[in-house]
Amino acid sequence: MAMATWARLWSRAGLAARSGALAGRGAAEVTAQAAAASSSTATAARLKEFKVYRWDPEAGEKPTFQSFEVDLNRCGPMILDVLLKIKDEQDSSLSFRRSCREGICGSCAMNINGSNGLACLTRIEKEGEDATNIAPLPHMFVVKDLVVDMANFYAQYKSIKPWLQSDGAAKVDGKEVYQSKEDRNKLDGLYECILCACCSTSCPSYWWNSDSYLGPAVLLQAYRWIIDSRDQATDERIKQLDDAFKLYRCKTIMNCAKVCPKGLNPGKAIAKIKKAHHGELE
């Protein structure tokens, strides 16, 4: 009887000792993990300076660049992520356009470190200590901050009649206008334009003659309809562009091809329109 009692007491004591040891070890592990996390948080901040163009017409002050610091370890990899973080956490009055975040809509076109591009496709330069400058598209009227007035750009686009004119074309089953695979392939490198205006606003000729020169983006779109085999207004479209300012202000500087976020070549399309005026439609 006495032996059994001592055995039970010994077993309980051992269990209690083991439980205490496990609890102590668990608490030590939690404490160590918390300390490591705290240390990591304290040392992991990677602050980078971004200078953003600011102008509010209602404030009556001159435009300026405002400096913001953003922790890159708590931000996405793109310039658009930086702007959203600044707007959400530092200054809700910051104005800019954005929509798809996938390089499809063209809304977030702006000038980043001196080069036009889409904020959603432009990666943050994490190396180096220099600040990143973010400004609106150059030589455009600014509405507020990074938002520019696109009215003239869209009016020029409308002037080329960017829709299929095929009323007199033969239709398959009375519904569709037939187009061969070869003719369809001619539209590659043209239809992908998203009208972001990165190319036009990087063109010096467009800077000085935007009231009369259509610019790379609109001329690329014009050629897209000129070369479309289904369109019945080809001659009319070519004739409309036979103008010293609408077309021939292009000096083939090729800034347009350098900045296009879709990798298109407006300069090549413009050259083909010029050749079409001499009877060589490719």
Side-chain angles (χ1 to χ4, degrees), residues 26-267:
E29 290 178 353
V30 170
T31 302
Q33 291 173 359
S38 176
S39 175
S40 175
T41 302
T43 59
R46 293 182 61 191
L47 297 178
K48 183 173 178 64
E49 182 183 10
F50 294 87
K51 294 182 178 180
V52 183
Y53 181 96
R54 304 301 306 273
W55 181 69
D56 185 350
E58 296 181 358
E61 299 178 357
K62 293 183 178 180
T64 185
F65 277 88
Q66 184 176 355
S67 180
F68 298 93
E69 284 194 337
V70 175
D71 183 0
L72 300 185
N73 287 334
R74 299 175 63 86
C75 180
M78 303 300 181
I79 293 295
L80 182 58
D81 294 313
V82 170
L83 294 174
L84 290 170
K85 192 170 184 64
I86 291 172
K87 187 174 180 68
D88 291 342
E89 300 178 3
Q90 299 188 46
D91 190 342
S92 61
S93 68
L94 178 62
S95 297
F96 54 91
R97 291 190 176 109
R98 84 286 183 275
S99 184
C100 73
R101 297 176 63 102
E102 299 292 341
I104 297 173
C105 71
S107 299
C108 62
M110 55 191 68
N111 187 274
I112 304 164
N113 273 345
S115 180
N116 291 350
L118 299 182
C120 65
L121 296 184
T122 304
R123 288 188 171 274
I124 302 168
E125 293 184 5
K126 297 185 178 182
E127 303 301 327
E129 299 180 358
D130 294 339
T132 296
N133 294 322
I134 305 174
L137 291 174
H139 293 266
M140 298 282 276
F141 291 106
V142 176
V143 178
K144 183 183 178 184
D145 296 338
L146 302 175
V147 178
V148 297
D149 186 355
M150 300 285 284
N152 179 62
F153 179 80
Y154 289 136
Q156 291 175 322
Y157 178 57
K158 181 181 179 181
S159 73
I160 65 168
K161 299 179 180 179
W163 57 82
L164 192 64
Q165 300 182 58
S166 60
D167 293 340
K171 297 182 179 180
V172 180
D173 297 330
K175 298 179 181 179
E176 296 182 87
V177 179
Y178 174 76
Q179 185 175 54
S180 68
K181 290 183 179 180
E182 292 74 19
D183 286 335
R184 166 58 187 81
N185 290 339
K186 293 179 181 179
L187 303 182
D188 290 342
L190 303 172
Y191 78 90
E192 300 96 330
C193 174
I194 57 176
L195 296 172
C196 63
C198 283
C199 62
S200 292
T201 54
S202 69
C203 174
S205 293
Y206 191 75
W207 295 347
W208 315 132
N209 303 282
S210 60
D211 58 332
S212 51
Y213 174 47
L214 293 181
V218 173
L219 289 172
L220 175 79
Q221 287 288 329
Y223 183 67
R224 177 257 177 273
W225 296 106
I226 288 172
I227 202 64
D228 196 320
S229 62
R230 301 166 297 173
D231 195 87
Q232 301 297 301
T234 304
D235 293 339
E236 177 187 336
R237 293 182 187 277
I238 294 174
K239 184 178 180 180
Q240 180 197 13
L241 298 176
D242 191 5
D243 181 272
F245 278 92
K246 285 184 179 179
L247 174 66
Y248 287 95
R249 289 296 93 187
C250 173
K251 305 302 180 183
T252 59
I253 299 172
M254 302 306 289
N255 281 357
C256 53
K258 292 179 182 178
V259 301
C260 177
K262 308 300 286 186
L264 309 182
N265 190 344

